[in-house]
Amino acid sequence: MDSAKHKKGLTDVAELAGVSLSTVDRVLNERGSVSDVKRRKVLNAARTLGLRRLLPSPVHGLLRFDLLMVESHTDHYQRLTQAFQRQARLLKARLVLQHQTWHDRNPQDLLDFINRPRTARQGLIVVAHDTPAIRAALQLQIARGVPVVLLTSSLSGLVGATYIGIDNHVAGRSAGRLLGQWLGACPNGGQVLLITNSLLYHAHQQRIGGFMQVLHERAPHLQISAPVECHDDDALTARAVHHALDNGATLAAIYNTGAGSEGIRQALLARNIRPAWITHEASQQHARLLREGVLSLVLDQDPEGQADAAIQHLLYANGDLDIPPQMHPQLRIVIDETLPHRAS
């Protein structure tokens, strides 16, 4: 009787996991080789059904996670890299983090990294353009059982991936709400210069969408420029400011959804103007600009929290954690008053 119940329990696990009974036997009794994908399916099914036995480890050896990030020297990506390096050191007995970078102007490199991994991987963390080719490549990885985390910027219409980052639409709306309050009392309006990195990133699309939505609702007297893609380049951001002023605009405000702040600073100082200016990421550079009164406000997307949550999610997806990760990246607003006190 006990043997029959035991066999039925294993059959239930096999049905729920979508594998053969022999595969369940090999996983639970650690006999023979089974792919990591099937191994995870069997162990997840066994836990779901409450199988009364000591379950083996979900993986053999170290977990290998691929981290595919865009090549960038901006503060956000430098902070992300440092946070992932810290996680890799802390968890070196459990995982190997394989960090690869692709250039923003050559997305084919990213497709190659996604489609042709150097080693077998148990997870994928990726910063990506929102294009059909990249979505299709990641969808194939998900179909093969690889847990996929989208970092910082989500992708539209990709089913089965987990996005880890702030709500970028809310970030844009927050920038618009605050700017609308600052400028709402100006009856003559003025132009709001909208600068972004690249509209190939869903995050920047969402920030711009939320920003424009709120300003149209709350400050319709303001003229919002079409977004200028500057690819986080200081020379291009400076040129965008000069171009707006050369065309006769009364520059009331600037919202930059990406980097390139030094270029904006240089242009504002050269023209001797100080419009309201909102940008992203808490950094030493932005702390200095806030203290100088050139920069008005910073929205920070918590890259350290993103890195920690991404690793925790992949550990949970591989059965290495018993409960889902509880940490979530936090949108933070930074002004000069919230900066650490400096000794005089």
Side-chain angles (χ1 to χ4, degrees):
M1 188 73 169
D2 289 342
S3 176
K5 286 183 179 179
H6 175 71
K7 186 173 182 180
K8 185 178 187 306
L10 298 187
T11 301
D12 292 340
V13 171
E15 290 178 355
L16 183 58
V19 300
S20 67
L21 187 59
S22 62
T23 296
V24 173
D25 177 71
R26 288 200 303 274
V27 171
L28 297 184
N29 295 297
E30 301 199 73
R31 290 196 287 260
S33 62
V34 177
S35 72
D36 290 331
V37 172
K38 289 185 178 180
R39 190 176 180 84
R40 283 197 300 271
K41 287 181 177 180
V42 169
L43 294 175
N44 287 338
R47 290 192 187 93
T48 300
L49 294 171
L51 198 65
R52 294 186 177 182
R53 59 172 292 165
L54 181 63
L55 299 177
S57 170
V59 294
H60 288 300
L62 293 172
L63 291 163
R64 294 184 178 274
F65 299 154
D66 278 349
L67 171 62
L68 310 182
M69 288 208 304
V70 64
E71 183 179 316
S72 174
H73 298 293
T74 63
D75 290 308
H76 173 68
Y77 288 106
Q78 293 301 307
R79 288 170 62 190
L80 267 179
T81 297
Q82 292 168 8
F84 277 118
Q85 289 172 344
R86 183 173 61 252
Q87 286 289 312
R89 287 194 300 270
L90 290 172
L91 300 169
K92 63 182 180 180
R94 297 160 69 186
L95 63 87
V96 174
L97 193 61
Q98 302 173 145
H99 186 184
Q100 300 170 84
T101 58
W102 59 280
H103 198 282
D104 194 64
R105 301 297 177 91
N106 190 12
Q108 184 58 46
D109 287 347
L110 176 59
L111 284 170
D112 291 342
F113 289 147
I114 294 171
N115 293 325
R116 292 192 285 275
R118 295 182 300 183
T119 63
R121 60 189 174 205
Q122 288 79 46
L124 179 58
I125 304 170
V126 60
V127 177
H129 287 166
D130 189 13
T131 66
I134 290 172
R135 290 196 297 270
L138 289 173
Q139 198 72 71
L140 182 59
Q141 293 299 309
I142 294 168
R144 290 173 175 170
V146 178
V148 171
V149 167
L150 304 175
L151 195 69
T152 297
S153 185
S154 60
L155 298 184
S156 55
L158 182 63
V159 178
T162 298
Y163 168 65
I164 291 181
I166 62 168
D167 186 323
N168 286 294
H169 184 75
V170 168
R173 284 188 61 88
S174 299
R177 175 68 177 270
L178 292 165
L179 208 54
Q181 288 179 302
W182 285 334
L183 303 179
C186 302
N188 296 327
Q191 186 181 87
V192 178
L193 177 58
L194 189 48
I195 297 175
T196 190
N197 172 359
S198 167
L199 291 175
L200 288 174
Y201 291 105
H202 198 216
H204 293 290
Q205 298 172 26
Q206 291 176 309
R207 291 175 189 178
I208 288 169
F211 178 78
M212 295 180 71
Q213 183 182 58
V214 167
L215 281 191
H216 285 318
E217 293 169 357
R218 295 180 172 270
H221 58 288
L222 295 173
Q223 299 173 350
I224 308 173
S225 75
V228 183
E229 295 180 279
C230 291
H231 305 283
D232 292 342
D233 182 270
D234 286 327
L236 294 179
T237 57
R239 188 183 306 168
V241 175
H242 285 300
H243 181 72
L245 293 169
D246 289 342
N247 285 342
T250 300
L251 198 57
I254 299 172
Y255 175 43
N256 182 14
T257 71
S261 292
E262 182 56 28
I264 296 174
R265 172 185 174 274
Q266 291 175 4
L268 295 180
L269 293 179
R271 306 300 280 257
N272 195 28
I273 59 171
R274 290 198 176 186
W277 173 16
I278 295 177
T279 191
H280 284 256
E281 305 317 327
S283 66
Q284 291 184 355
Q285 176 197 37
H286 286 156
R288 174 171 55 82
L289 295 179
L290 286 168
R291 289 189 174 106
E292 289 176 357
V294 181
L295 180 60
S296 307
L297 181 144
V298 170
L299 298 169
D300 187 70
Q301 56 183 318
D302 190 13
E304 293 80 12
Q306 290 189 33
D308 293 354
I311 294 295
Q312 293 295 305
H313 174 78
L314 290 186
L315 289 175
Y316 175 73
N318 279 278
D320 203 60
L321 293 178
D322 292 332
I323 59 173
Q326 303 301 307
M327 57 187 67
H328 303 283
Q330 300 295 313
L331 174 64
R332 298 166 179 162
I333 295 177
V334 182
I335 59 174
D336 55 349
E337 296 292 342
T338 65
L339 294 172
H341 176 71
R342 293 190 306 176
S344 56

